[in-house]
Amino acid sequence: MQSAFLKLYLAGPKLADRSGLEPYLRQIVVRTFLAERRKVRWRREKLTDAPPEGLSSVPAAEDRLVVWQALTAVPARQRAVLVLRFWHDLSVEDTAAALKCSTGTVKSQSSKGLDALRRRLGPEFDHLRLEV
């Protein structure tokens, strides 16, 4: 129904004669319903009662906040490299291009930054270990 009303709303400016609005809406609802049924039939995903293969290893929100706060203690250049490399998942080359420096600088700054971050976080955050 929501899709049908959206289609009606989008077609609203084109509808000069409002008297045929009810049959037009009925036709939209039927066609939208049939289109959705066709999509479901050919969809490749199969619904099951079992959970997905594996749960993602996304750190908990509290861990993310602690890591983000610990990043504020890391020098600015190293922090920029760490955020671009590991938070935004950029390659060494893309990070070097974004920071207008060499790839060697990115590698050394990420190594130093990770060491500083590990010292700041302590051993209780070894499960979040980032490797260069």
Side-chain angles (χ1 to χ4, degrees):
M1 289 301 292
Q2 186 174 1
S3 298
F5 279 118
L6 177 63
K7 289 177 184 180
L8 178 67
Y9 174 77
L10 293 175
K14 299 176 198 171
L15 299 173
D17 182 22
R18 305 279 186 209
S19 62
L21 195 59
E22 187 177 331
Y24 182 67
L25 179 60
R26 193 175 310 117
Q27 183 181 20
I28 291 175
V29 169
V30 169
R31 287 185 178 174
T32 303
F33 173 75
L34 292 175
E36 301 251 339
R37 295 250 342 238
R38 279 192 296 265
K39 286 179 190 175
V40 171
R41 189 174 348 144
W42 293 103
R43 189 173 291 160
R44 291 182 185 251
E45 295 98 14
K46 301 292 183 200
L47 297 177
T48 63
D49 292 334
E53 294 82 29
L55 300 174
S56 66
S57 62
V58 176
E62 298 85 22
D63 290 346
R64 290 175 64 102
L65 286 174
V66 170
V67 170
W68 193 253
Q69 288 172 345
L71 272 172
T72 60
V74 176
R77 183 91 168 172
Q78 294 172 7
R79 182 172 54 242
V81 169
L82 292 177
V83 168
L84 290 174
R85 287 277 292 126
F86 300 107
W87 210 275
H88 293 289
D89 201 27
L90 292 182
S91 67
V92 173
E93 293 78 18
D94 292 339
T95 303
L99 295 176
K100 295 180 176 68
C101 64
S102 70
T103 56
T105 302
V106 170
K107 291 175 186 178
S108 67
Q109 292 294 307
S110 63
S111 176
K112 291 175 186 176
L114 285 174
D115 287 340
L117 192 60
R118 287 180 187 128
R119 280 193 308 273
R120 180 82 174 157
L121 290 173
E124 61 271 6
F125 280 89
D126 281 344
H127 65 282
L128 295 177
R129 206 145 171 94
L130 300 173
E131 297 298 328
V132 180

